[in-house]
Amino acid sequence: MTTRIGVITFPGSLDDGDARRAIRLAGAEPVALWHGSHDLEGVDALVLPGGFSYGDYLRAGAIAALAPIMAEVKDAAAKGMPVLGICNGFQMLVEAHLLPGGLIRNAHQQFIRRDQRLRVENATTAWTSEFTAGQEITIPLKNADGGYICSSETLKQIEGDGLVAFRYVGVNPNGSLDDIAGLTNERGNVVGLMPHPEHAVEPGFGPSTPAAMRSGIDGLAFFTSAVAALASSAA
């Protein structure tokens, strides 16, 4: 049976179509879901995509975290469903308290767009199992509110429990504490990150590599990891 991964569209979502394409390239079936619904339509995993949900009013992701469908997202995550939050989706996950901390305006107060090097810190999650710990990957980044913050006590817990999923390498583009680019929960089914893996899944459209321009597909492993994790749990 084909793995079905839902992508939730919120008012202001920009990358939901890209996420659905990435899911299709990973061999799964993308399912379009709507923020105002309470029906997850029987999907096996969920993606909260990038964009500017509700115009990023109040705080980025804060209003979307209260959308009707988020009640179902929280319940599904608590039951172990894989959930990936990308950029604005990561902001939603922290606002919904599915991941700790918060995200604020970039340290230099500007929107930033670049191909960003990351180091994989945790390769045991549902979304990172096809990476290896310490592996460096390149994923496009585009955000204005990507500065990760938390209390000193929370930071100590995150680091001690191995909940940092990704760190920025080479440059910290937004002033995030400890170069944190992405997190996982303790169970490993919920992952959020600021860079956009769905923009690095197909040759000719991703980051440039030493091999060729626009040939980078490091982002595809996020989605194939989820497909493999779900297949393994169903076996």
Side-chain angles (χ1 to χ4, degrees):
M1 183 178 294
T2 302
T3 299
R4 302 173 73 246
I5 302 179
V7 179
I8 304 173
T9 296
F10 299 83
S13 293
L14 296 179
D15 301 293
D16 43 346
D18 300 87
R20 291 193 299 268
R21 181 168 180 79
I23 289 164
R24 189 175 295 110
L25 289 170
E29 177 188 348
V31 179
L33 301 176
W34 184 241
H35 71 109
S37 173
H38 284 284
D39 187 0
L40 296 182
E41 300 187 19
V43 298
D44 304 299
L46 289 165
V47 175
L48 280 59
F52 301 92
S53 59
Y54 298 93
D56 276 350
Y57 292 116
L58 185 59
R59 290 184 308 276
I63 299 176
L66 301 175
I69 202 168
M70 289 302 290
E72 279 63 42
V73 173
K74 291 179 182 179
D75 184 60
K79 293 176 180 177
M81 179 180 288
V83 179
L84 177 65
I86 302 170
C87 195
N88 197 220
F90 185 18
Q91 294 160 345
M92 295 176 205
L93 292 178
V94 298
E95 291 287 347
H97 306 295
L98 288 171
L99 292 173
L103 291 150
I104 62 172
R105 181 69 54 167
N106 293 343
H108 45 68
Q109 302 295 305
Q110 294 180 337
F111 184 92
I112 188 166
R113 179 179 63 85
R114 56 177 287 127
D115 290 341
Q116 178 66 48
R117 288 168 57 211
L118 305 176
R119 183 170 62 249
V120 179
E121 298 287 343
N122 189 325
T124 66
T125 81
W127 300 93
T128 61
S129 61
E130 295 203 347
F131 296 114
T132 58
Q135 181 179 351
E136 290 193 9
I137 60 177
T138 301
I139 302 292
L141 173 78
K142 50 175 185 171
N143 65 71
D145 297 273
Y148 180 76
I149 59 168
C150 63
S151 68
S152 57
E153 294 81 7
T154 298
L155 185 61
K156 183 177 180 180
Q157 178 188 0
I158 288 170
E159 294 288 4
D161 292 346
L163 302 186
V164 177
F166 302 94
R167 289 189 211 273
Y168 298 115
V169 174
V171 62
N172 183 329
N174 43 40
S176 292
L177 290 175
D178 283 10
D179 300 325
I180 292 172
L183 296 175
T184 179
N185 64 347
E186 292 184 4
R187 192 168 181 173
N189 62 304
V190 178
V191 171
L193 77 163
M194 288 309 298
H196 286 260
E198 77 280 14
H199 295 324
V201 296
E202 191 171 14
F205 298 94
S208 297
T209 72
M213 292 178 61
R214 303 295 181 189
S215 62
I217 58 170
D218 288 340
L220 188 60
F222 285 78
F223 304 96
T224 55
S225 290
V227 172
L230 288 163
S232 177
S233 65

